[in-house]
Every structure is written in C-alpha cells, then in structure tokens.
Amino acid sequence: MANTFTSYAAKNVTTAASTLVTVAAATQTTIIGATICNTSASAITASLYFTRSAVDYYIVNNATIPVGRTFVAIGGDQKVVLITGDALKVISNTVTSADAIVSVLNIT
C-alpha cells in the first residue's frame, strides 16, 4: 500500500457545488484538514459534504463565515475517511465568494 499526502483546492466557490476530490478506484482518502475562506465583501454561509451512492452527508451545513475569515471544518483531532467513489463537495450561498482547501492522505 502506498501512502501519499496531497491537497486539493477550489477557487471562487459559488452557489453550485464544487467537487474538491473524487476518490479513485482502490483508494481510501483520509481528510486531515479542510478550510473554507470567505473572499467576498460580506458574510457568507458555506457547506462541506460528501456524496456516497447518490446520498449527501454533511460535514458542516450553512456555516456562517464573516468577511475575511476562515472556517476550519476538519482538523486537529477530527478526520474523515472517504472510500472509492465518494466525492467531497463545497458550496456557498454567494457567487464567487470563497476558496476551499483540503489536505488528504491517499492510501492505494
């Protein structure tokens, strides 16, 4: 089994879900950090979730992020494990209002 640390990012997150990562075949992905930054001129709400077998599972739903602030959805002691086919997504209530970054450990 190979272990690879990497990161994925989404720039200008909008009101349509942006997929940060889709887990490849024969891979497990452990999210070790997930951050959403408000890049707009007003407060926003944002959600981070993953889709498995056409069902959405929210990690955070409609978190308020003030102007110029960052929301850490995953980090510290919390980790989330995704399996083959899972898709991690982020969405905001405002057009082009946020950047999102996730750090992961891929195990193949």
Side-chain angles (χ1 to χ4, degrees):
M1 293 185 131
N3 297 329
T4 307
F5 287 100
T6 191
S7 63
Y8 302 95
K11 182 95 175 138
N12 296 324
V13 173
T14 187
T15 56
S18 296
T19 300
L20 289 160
V21 61
T22 300
V23 180
T27 303
Q28 293 177 338
T29 297
T30 301
I31 304 168
I32 57 177
T35 304
I36 305 167
C37 178
N38 180 350
T39 59
S40 74
S42 58
I44 63 168
T45 61
S47 299
L48 181 71
Y49 64 97
F50 68 93
T51 302
R52 177 180 291 164
S53 302
V55 177
D56 295 335
Y57 297 92
Y58 282 82
I59 297 164
V60 62
N61 189 23
N62 293 323
T64 300
I65 308 172
V67 176
R69 297 294 176 103
T70 298
F71 180 80
V72 178
I74 301 170
D77 292 335
Q78 182 191 16
K79 311 293 181 270
V80 175
V81 176
L82 302 178
I83 61 174
T84 298
D86 287 354
L88 181 67
K89 301 174 184 179
V90 62
I91 191 167
S92 172
N93 71 328
T94 306
V95 176
T96 62
S97 62
D99 292 344
I101 302 167
V102 293
S103 298
V104 303
L105 171 62
N106 288 317
I107 304 170
T108 56

